[in-house]
Amino acid sequence: MNTFDAPSRESCVVRRERTNTPMQALVLLNEPQYVESARRLGERSAERLRIVVAAAGLLGIAYFLLVLLVITLSARARRSEQLVEQRESELIDLAQLNDHVIQQMQSGIVVVDRHHVVQMLNESAWALLGMPQLMRHHPLKDV
């Protein structure tokens, strides 16, 4: 303990003097306990590093899969939006065709909704009902 400037055990010392000599470092570096402690510290650090690297790899894979999922979902959403636009156009075309067919029919046709409000009528129905001024979007009983 002389190398570390430690007081002897024969007397009690409240405060120990601070010293720093090259001999203290050499003793610590060459002692088997310190060599073994340093080796174990290095092994534990390497193991922790392997765990951190593995976790980082798994996190990278998770991010990659998440991006792949987002790309797939956005492509599906774009296709769905295009399909909605196409179907909307088809519905408008069918409604126009339906109006044209009803207007060209010789029979009088009045289309009402479930609340008995007139939604559409052709010219024949208009003439048969006495050519009323207000027809569309009015209750059938008012006609």
Side-chain angles (χ1 to χ4, degrees), residues 1 12 21 30 35 41 45 51 80 138:
M1 295 300 283
C12 211
T21 64
N30 290 326
V35 171
L41 179 65
S45 296
I51 291 171
S80 295
H138 283 45

Side-chain angles (χ1 to χ4, degrees), residues 7-59:
S8 67
R9 294 183 184 198
E10 297 168 354
S11 62
C12 211
V13 177
V14 176
R15 177 183 255 168
R16 196 175 141 189
E17 291 183 37
R18 290 184 72 176
T19 61
N20 187 5
T21 64
M23 186 57 92
Q24 293 171 350
L26 287 173
V27 167
L28 288 177
L29 288 175
N30 290 326
E31 284 292 315
Q33 299 99 334
Y34 292 105
V35 171
E36 184 63 24
S37 295
R39 186 183 66 74
R40 282 295 299 140
L41 179 65
E43 287 174 357
R44 282 191 310 213
S45 296
E47 180 63 29
R48 287 183 183 155
L49 181 63
R50 280 191 287 271
I51 291 171
V52 167
V53 168
L58 289 175
L59 185 62

Side-chain angles (χ1 to χ4, degrees), residues 38-109:
R39 186 183 66 74
R40 282 295 299 140
L41 179 65
E43 287 174 357
R44 282 191 310 213
S45 296
E47 180 63 29
R48 287 183 183 155
L49 181 63
R50 280 191 287 271
I51 291 171
V52 167
V53 168
L58 289 175
L59 185 62
I61 291 170
Y63 280 140
F64 175 76
L65 292 175
L66 180 65
V67 167
L68 188 63
L69 178 66
V70 166
I71 289 171
T72 304
L73 289 176
S74 65
R76 185 178 288 180
R78 277 192 301 272
R79 283 193 306 268
S80 295
E81 186 176 346
Q82 289 171 350
L83 185 61
V84 164
E85 289 173 359
Q86 179 185 0
R87 297 284 165 83
E88 182 181 16
S89 173
E90 290 173 358
L91 283 174
I92 290 170
D93 291 344
L94 283 174
Q96 289 174 349
L97 179 63
N98 190 30
D99 285 346
H100 180 72
V101 168
I102 289 175
Q103 290 301 327
Q104 297 303 317
M105 293 181 77
Q106 297 296 322
S107 303
I109 301 209

Side-chain angles (χ1 to χ4, degrees), residues 101-139:
V101 168
I102 289 175
Q103 290 301 327
Q104 297 303 317
M105 293 181 77
Q106 297 296 322
S107 303
I109 301 209
V110 177
V111 179
V112 294
D113 63 8
R114 62 183 165 160
H115 302 291
H116 304 291
V117 174
V118 176
Q119 296 297 317
M120 182 189 330
L121 71 152
N122 65 359
E123 286 186 31
S124 298
W126 183 66
L128 287 172
L129 291 173
M131 299 181 218
Q133 294 296 321
L134 301 173
M135 281 298 297
R136 287 189 97 168
H137 307 292
H138 283 45

